[in-house]
Amino acid sequence: MSAHYTLALDAMGGDLGPSTSLEAALACLERHPHLTLFWVGPQVVLAPLLANVSHKQAPLLPRLHFIDAPQVVEKTDDLMVILRQKQNSSMYLALALVAEGKANACISCGSSGALMALSRHLIKMLPGYERPAFASHIPTRKGMCLVLDMGANLASTGQQLYQFGQLGQALEARLQQNPNVSLMLLNIATESGTGQAQVQAADALLKADSKLNYLGYIEPQEVFEGEASIVVCDGYAGNVLIKSGEGVSNMLAHSLMENLTTSDLTLAQTEKIMQAWQIQFDPDRLNGAFLLGLQGLVVKSHSYANATALQYAIEATQDYVEMQVAESLQDDG
């Protein structure tokens, strides 16, 4: 029998509104009978949505526990205002459920900066680590690659990049059940002495750590060739890398579809090709970045995620909980 997991879902913060969050939550509850969700947000907004749940999905509601959070963290809010004056916000209370041990993990579509600041405040960092990093997998020609940081820290010191490498290898080694996963550092060139000072400092620290399978610098185009299992960079470079990759993928998908529809292939053959493409490159399936370095599990969904993408993020979070990833990182820390 599967274990029972409880996740906290911040209903606010997504560009498409809380109805998208509810749709994803109910889909996950329907697919996973041993899952319970805390759905956190303002009663005045969420209660009408709950009242309109269909009779077919109504039996799922006992596993969707509504938590009233009258405040909402806005993207324009100052971080100090959030920390001091928005302790009744949906993001704050969802993270507090994890900090208090009432939920196994938290998922939010809200502001990356606010999520990182509140997570550090409520859940705390692993001993010895300075800052958390968003880690997520991207598709490459040879399989999946873990990239971190993807936006939690726009700038990072050499020491912090080194710590991201430690966290990334610990996570990917756990996921692949392989302690020798390869680790590389994103740079503008592979020659020694190139790149920013903090990148060169991180390179020296990574080389000096014999516990890491560090292979040196990697250029952006080599990431998509699948030359490394883990790629470390600051949040600015990581965010540019992933969004550029998504843009190129979408461009190629549209071009492929246009060419397929004018080809001599049958409809069934065209659909088979596009299904294979979607499984490998669909950004919705890759939604959800793990905030590494905390004493608990927090996952950031894209703010623009639709219900399908958010469902994937919730299910990925459940998988992380089931694999006890957060606990293994604490042991390594």
Side-chain angles (χ1 to χ4, degrees), residues 79-193:
L79 290 181
M80 293 309 297
V81 171
I82 294 169
L83 288 166
R84 294 175 180 176
Q85 300 179 21
K86 292 211 166 179
Q87 298 179 0
N88 287 317
S89 64
S90 58
M91 185 184 291
Y92 193 106
L93 294 181
L95 289 167
L97 290 167
V98 179
E100 295 164 4
K102 296 176 181 177
N104 298 106
C106 170
I107 306 101
S108 176
C109 297
S111 161
S112 296
L115 187 64
M116 185 185 75
L118 287 178
S119 296
R120 292 180 68 191
H121 175 67
L122 291 167
I123 301 176
K124 311 299 183 185
M125 294 294 299
L126 290 172
Y129 292 95
E130 297 178 11
R131 300 179 72 83
F134 282 124
S136 186
H137 289 90
I138 63 172
T140 75
R141 196 165 63 85
K142 298 179 182 177
M144 303 303 289
C145 172
L146 181 73
V147 178
L148 70 160
D149 180 17
M150 299 187 73
N153 312 276
L154 294 185
S156 302
T157 65
Q159 178 69 21
Q160 289 163 357
L161 291 171
Y162 163 61
Q163 292 176 358
F164 296 164
Q166 291 178 304
L167 290 166
Q169 180 153 315
L171 173 61
E172 197 64 13
R174 175 76 174 185
L175 296 179
Q176 293 193 24
Q177 296 295 301
N178 175 14
N180 295 315
V181 287
S182 57
L183 167 67
M184 300 188 78
L185 184 62
L186 188 67
N187 199 1
I188 58 172
T190 57
E191 293 80 13
S192 177

Side-chain angles (χ1 to χ4, degrees), residues 148 158 161-162 165 183-190 198-204 206 214-219 222-223 228 230-234:
L148 70 160
L161 291 171
Y162 163 61
L183 167 67
M184 300 188 78
L185 184 62
L186 188 67
N187 199 1
I188 58 172
T190 57
Q198 62 269 29
V199 173
Q200 294 185 47
D203 177 58
L206 291 164
Y214 177 60
L215 304 183
Y217 293 139
I218 186 170
E219 295 184 35
E222 296 172 327
V223 174
I230 308 147
V231 171
V232 172
C233 55
D234 64 31

Side-chain angles (χ1 to χ4, degrees), residues 65-85:
H65 302 308
F66 164 65
I67 303 292
D68 183 26
Q71 296 177 309
V72 175
V73 171
E74 305 291 349
K75 293 180 181 179
T76 55
D77 284 342
D78 181 84
L79 290 181
M80 293 309 297
V81 171
I82 294 169
L83 288 166
R84 294 175 180 176
Q85 300 179 21

Side-chain angles (χ1 to χ4, degrees), residues 7 27-28 31-32 310-320:
L7 308 180
C28 288
R31 280 173 50 88
H32 304 281
L310 184 53
Q311 180 182 338
Y312 279 119
I314 296 169
E315 291 179 333
T317 305
Q318 181 180 258
D319 290 341
Y320 282 139

